[in-house]
Amino acid sequence: TGDITFTTATPATTGGAAIYAVQSTAGGGKIVLDDDFGGGTAGTALAGGSSVINLTAGAGGITAKNANNTLAEIATTGATVTMNTTGTIGTNNNRIQFADQANTAQQRVVIGTTNRPSNVSLDGLGTLTIAGITGNTANTVVDVTARTGLNVDGTITTGTGTIVLGADLKYDGTADDGVGTLTLLNGSSVTSANMTTSAITLRGADIDINGTGSVSATGAGGGVVVRTSQSALAMSIGGTN
């Protein structure tokens, strides 16, 4: 039930061996990811190599010790990073930051398969793939940014929690360099029952919703906001480019 802290750690002594950190979900413990930013051992807080990573935390959540910066909390070429807790997963000032991973078959983030968090704040230092966020029973608030591409390859459902998904964005929500596509791959879905006009916000230098991808604001009065990442960038809806 005590806290678990990873400080620039490489836990898998055998290449590709699965990494598990499990706390009692009934307790108040938390998992802390410390990149030692500004310190003598600064680096990725939890370097997974080629391992899948599974983190299950108590009500204290899964947290980044340091404020948003240029170092990742998590990096792996393994297939998935799975996180479960009834607490928060990052905050907007201390997001769980992921290393750049353009391969959509690697470092796929899965959240809430067994325990639903109250908040999810993530950031990709390059391209990030979300394979699923289940927060419908916890009304999870979701805010995900990525410096270049942000891929949704699964289901994001948040009950009445709001959803913000942004490519070509810095961790504070400001524009990056004008390159980065928010992509909803075939079969993926983004759903919120929030009843405000900004129940779901989609941002990017480009936004690509593949043929069977879907975005649904199901709450009465709920809306979907579509914005470019750059304020001066032209927007063409239904165009060919």
Side-chain angles (χ1 to χ4, degrees):
T1 58
D3 294 347
I4 298 172
T5 300
F6 292 96
T7 303
T8 60
T10 306
T13 56
T14 301
I19 297 170
Y20 286 87
V22 181
Q23 294 175 312
S24 168
T25 56
K30 62 182 178 290
I31 294 175
V32 181
L33 301 171
D34 180 5
D35 57 27
D36 194 33
F37 185 75
T41 61
T44 300
L46 175 52
S50 58
S51 300
V52 298
I53 298 173
N54 296 271
L55 304 178
T56 300
I62 300 171
T63 67
K65 180 178 179 180
N66 298 309
N68 299 324
N69 56 57
T70 57
L71 299 176
E73 269 68 52
I74 294 175
T76 185
T77 59
T80 55
V81 177
T82 301
M83 295 185 282
N84 287 290
T85 178
T86 57
T88 65
I89 298 178
T91 66
N92 282 3
N93 289 329
N94 293 54
R95 294 175 185 267
I96 305 300
Q97 295 183 283
F98 287 83
D100 179 25
Q101 180 51 262
N103 187 338
T104 58
Q106 297 177 352
Q107 195 177 260
R108 293 163 55 85
V109 180
V110 181
I111 293 174
T113 51
T114 58
N115 300 92
R116 278 62 158 159
S118 57
N119 177 85
V120 173
S121 295
L122 310 178
D123 179 55
L125 296 176
T127 296
L128 178 63
T129 298
I130 305 297
I133 299 176
T134 304
N136 51 311
T137 58
N139 300 319
T140 306
V141 174
V142 171
D143 192 311
V144 183
T145 54
R147 222 62 80 247
T148 49
L150 178 57
N151 302 307
V152 178
D153 191 16
T155 298
I156 298 176
T157 178
T158 60
T160 59
T162 56
I163 301 172
V164 177
L165 303 174
D168 183 40
L169 293 182
K170 299 176 183 177
Y171 47 69
D172 60 1
T174 59
D176 192 44
D177 61 0
V179 178
T181 301
L182 170 60
T183 303
L184 272 66
L185 298 170
N186 277 322
S188 62
S189 63
V190 177
T191 305
S192 171
N194 185 270
M195 294 186 289
T196 67
T197 56
S198 55
I200 299 172
T201 300
L202 307 177
R203 296 184 64 190
D206 289 291
I207 298 175
D208 183 6
I209 301 176
N210 287 193
T212 58
S214 66
V215 179
S216 304
T218 59
V224 177
V225 176
V226 179
R227 295 175 55 196
T228 59
S229 54
Q230 313 273 330
S231 60
L233 193 64
M235 181 183 294
S236 173
I237 298 176
T240 57
N241 55 14

